Amino acid sequence: MIDATEFLDIPTTTLADLLGREQVMDIGIRPLWGPAPRIAGPAFTVRCPPGDNLMLHAAIHRAEPGSVVVVESGDLDHALAGGNVCAVAQRRGIAGFVADGLIRDLAEVRDLRFPVYARGIIPIPGTKAAVTPLGEPVRCGGVTVAPGDIVVADEEGVVTVPAARHTETLTTARAKLAKEAAETLDDWETAHRSRIDEILARGGVGD
């Protein structure tokens, strides 16, 4: 089994090239402070109905150290978490939150340097009443995330690596990065121009 931290060396741009649009969360899921550290860990999945944040608050006591808590919500009227929740999550070794929703207490979270990728901030807290199962597939940023999928997030965005593709993706990503590292800008420019000129020629456009 692959250690999820091995993906810390893989940019989300590389993963997006390999996995395609369906594994990349939409542009609304962004780091809430910067410069954003890259995080990588197995998904611990949570579903919170609009207006309620109970299960995220439960998840911080149940998620394993190193995991990324991924929250399905979509609520843009209430905060899923605040400074204390993020502080406890950090103390318990959780790598970060990826939430299809909002948080509050951004200054506290930024001072903690706890990674939160979400849709934004709002000062209004949610209630705590709705009990839903933890560890089920969720939708976050337009992507279906299953428990154990590896979530990689950085300033470019958030990508999920399905559990069945961990080894293949890591191997291919490392090979791609090694090839790119060995290529000079002159090499890249020559190959790039040749490819673009070929496409233009096929479309009837000359020099």
Side-chain angles (χ1 to χ4, degrees):
M1 180 179 295
I2 282 182
D3 179 352
T5 60
E6 294 189 69
F7 281 86
L8 285 171
D9 294 330
I10 312 296
T12 55
T13 49
T14 300
L15 294 173
D17 288 346
L18 298 177
L19 295 170
R21 179 67 187 88
E22 62 272 16
Q23 297 305 131
V24 180
M25 293 190 187
D26 71 54
I27 63 170
I29 312 297
R30 306 298 300 170
L32 295 189
W33 56 267
R38 181 176 299 137
I39 61 173
F44 185 92
T45 55
V46 180
R47 184 176 292 107
C48 292
D52 198 285
N53 60 29
L54 174 66
M55 296 316 295
L56 173 55
H57 288 238
I60 66 170
H61 303 292
R62 289 162 174 78
E64 292 293 324
S67 60
V68 176
V69 175
V70 179
V71 188
E72 175 182 322
S73 171
D75 183 8
L76 299 182
D77 294 313
H78 305 86
L80 289 163
N84 285 343
V85 169
C86 291
V88 171
Q90 184 181 57
R91 187 162 66 181
R92 296 202 62 256
I94 291 170
F97 290 166
V98 173
D100 199 329
L102 312 174
I103 70 158
R104 66 179 196 165
D105 301 331
L106 180 60
E108 294 178 32
V109 176
R110 182 173 55 236
D111 288 346
L112 288 168
R113 299 191 63 78
F114 181 71
V116 177
Y117 293 75
R119 293 202 180 273
I121 54 174
I122 196 169
I124 306 168
T127 59
K128 295 170 183 60
V131 177
T132 61
L134 293 167
E136 294 191 341
V138 297
R139 289 283 289 179
C140 183
V143 175
T144 298
V145 184
D149 289 354
I150 292 177
V151 180
V152 183
D154 60 23
E155 62 186 2
E156 300 282 348
V158 184
V159 181
T160 64
V161 184
R165 300 184 66 183
H166 289 176
T167 301
E168 163 211 339
T169 302
L170 184 61
T171 300
T172 307
R174 284 176 169 165
K176 185 176 190 298
L177 290 170
K179 180 181 178 182
E180 291 170 354
E183 183 179 54
T184 68
L185 181 58
D186 288 342
D187 293 337
W188 184 91
E189 182 181 7
T190 299
H192 180 260
R193 178 162 186 172
S194 176
R195 184 166 69 94
I196 296 302
D197 287 349
E198 180 183 342
I199 296 169
L200 291 176
R202 289 201 303 265
V205 177
D207 291 336

